[in-house]
Amino acid sequence: MVEPPSVRNQEGAPRTPGCELVVLTGLSGAGKLSALKAFEDLGYYAVDNLPLELIPQFAELLRGSSEFSRAVLGVDVREGSIENFPGILHNVRGLLPTTVVYLEASDDVLVRRYSETRRPHPLRRDELVSESIASERKRMEPIRNVADVLLDTSHFNVHQLRAHIITQFSRREGEQRLLVSTMSFGFKNGVPAEADLVFDVRFLPNPHFVPEFRPLTGRDERVAKYVMDFPQTKEFLDRTADMLMFLLPYYVTEGKSYLTIAFGCTGGQHRSVAIAEEMKKRLSDAGYQVRVSHRDMPR
């Protein structure tokens, strides 16, 4: 069997084309095991709780493997030397493309999840769950600071989290293109932690105050037409699309794999949904791989 040719990264290390490593980490109770299974469904070789000092050796094995080209590693607070992760990550990125995905959720949601499952927090079993969560946030901060993708799972159930992971990370084997996500959300529920760029579209007239539109969403043709017919909507879309056309090639050049562009209105039902859908069309027409999601849209 002829081995595939290797290429070199900026630091001169040989690299096998198509290799990819994902480090999946974050707060306990935020959904890491469910996300890990979703990566397995996408064909990633999955390993959970590998000791940090073994990650560089694992990356070397992945780079030289003829069986696996994509792998995901689960890392959590049970690692005693979590503060060493940024340095380890720097070395691993010299070997092959590596993306760090950090899952988190609000304290209230995490406490509720532990209450429902009746499982103890893995950090400390002799204190209140809320205290353990606070301690874990502090210890995990070095990893959060170097994460490429921040994903708040507060509003996700298991099935929605799985769908989100598959949407974000599914792509043809060996394809190294930028995956763009246009997302709608409601400011009343907070800004999405995973958003790289955030645009506030609350300056547009609100369809909520049109009685016939109130129960509908921005995916309805009538609502979308109402939003798009305002001249300020067209100008906003044109100016924003022009800016993105300027930015996106530079993100590609810098090696960014995923970019989330979030559009927010008050409730995340009408204006932001229509704008996210329209921007997906424009970016797709420009040749980019684009997914759209609606965090707060009624289903």
Side-chain angles (χ1 to χ4, degrees):
M1 179 178 177
V2 178
E3 292 293 330
S6 64
V7 296
R8 293 182 177 271
N9 63 9
Q10 292 179 352
E11 298 177 1
R15 177 183 294 173
T16 303
C19 280
E20 177 189 4
L21 177 65
V22 173
V23 177
L24 180 63
T25 183
L27 300 179
S28 304
K32 182 167 67 72
L33 290 179
S34 297
L36 201 66
K37 291 179 181 178
F39 277 105
E40 282 189 293
D41 292 342
L42 288 172
Y44 285 76
Y45 181 79
V47 178
D48 190 24
N49 205 32
L50 185 73
L52 290 181
E53 59 269 19
L54 296 182
I55 293 179
Q57 290 94 318
F58 181 87
E60 287 276 12
L61 291 172
L62 177 62
R63 189 178 63 171
S65 174
S66 60
E67 296 184 42
F68 303 101
S69 62
R70 297 161 64 174
V72 56
L73 296 178
V75 173
D76 60 37
V77 74
R78 290 173 290 177
E79 291 293 337
S81 54
I82 206 74
E83 67 279 357
N84 296 331
F85 180 79
I88 294 172
L89 176 65
H90 176 76
N91 294 333
V92 169
R93 281 181 167 156
L95 299 173
L96 76 170
T98 304
T99 301
V100 179
V101 180
Y102 189 95
L103 305 183
E104 59 187 359
S106 68
D107 287 358
D108 290 344
V109 169
L110 292 174
V111 170
R112 187 184 74 242
R113 288 175 181 173
Y114 274 106
S115 176
E116 291 173 349
T117 61
R118 299 184 180 181
R119 294 185 61 192
H121 193 280
L123 188 59
R124 295 177 183 174
R125 298 169 180 261
D126 58 347
E127 64 181 12
L128 295 174
V129 171
S130 58
E131 295 173 349
S132 296
I133 292 171
S135 299
E136 183 181 21
R137 283 192 190 277
K138 184 175 181 180
R139 288 188 59 183
M140 294 295 287
E141 195 66 20
I143 290 187
R144 190 183 190 278
N145 289 339
V146 296
D148 302 288
V149 178
L150 294 175
L151 182 56
D152 189 329
T153 68
S154 298
H155 302 285
F156 289 170
N157 59 33
V158 172
H159 306 293
Q160 291 168 335
L161 174 58
R162 179 182 182 279
H164 187 85
I165 292 294
I166 289 176
T167 297
Q168 291 287 324
F169 286 86
S170 60
R171 62 189 185 191
R172 291 188 296 274
E173 190 73 24
E175 185 178 26
Q176 297 297 324
R177 297 177 57 197
L178 174 69
L179 174 60
V180 180
S181 295
T182 61
M183 170 189 288
S184 70
F185 72 94
F187 276 99
K188 70 177 185 180
N189 295 320
V191 176
E194 64 268 34
D196 297 293
L197 301 172
V198 177
F199 296 93
D200 185 347
V201 298
R202 289 177 291 185
F203 69 92
L204 298 174
N206 194 348
H208 175 79
F209 297 111
V210 180
E212 63 183 292
F213 294 157
R214 187 168 299 175
L216 305 177
T217 74
R219 299 185 74 174
D220 186 279
E221 291 183 4
R222 293 165 293 174
V223 176
K225 184 178 185 305
Y226 175 86
V227 174
M228 298 301 164
D229 278 349
F230 291 98
Q232 58 266 45
T233 303
K234 183 180 184 305
E235 185 171 358
F236 169 78
L237 286 167
D238 289 345
R239 288 174 178 254
T240 304
D242 285 345
M243 183 184 70
L244 292 174
M245 290 302 105
F246 166 76
L247 291 174
L248 292 179
Y250 289 102
Y251 284 124
V252 172
T253 300
E254 287 299 311
K256 191 171 182 63
S257 299
Y258 310 97
L259 182 75
T260 300
I261 307 167
F263 299 93
C265 62
T266 304
Q269 177 175 341
H270 295 112
R271 293 166 290 182
S272 60
V273 172
I275 296 297
E277 291 281 350
E278 176 63 23
M279 191 57 70
K280 174 189 180 297
K281 294 178 185 176
R282 295 192 178 206
L283 296 180
S284 296
D285 289 345
Y288 288 97
Q289 184 182 5
V290 188
R291 304 277 193 270
V292 65
S293 62
H294 304 294
R295 191 190 73 179
D296 300 325
M297 184 183 73
R299 290 170 174 81

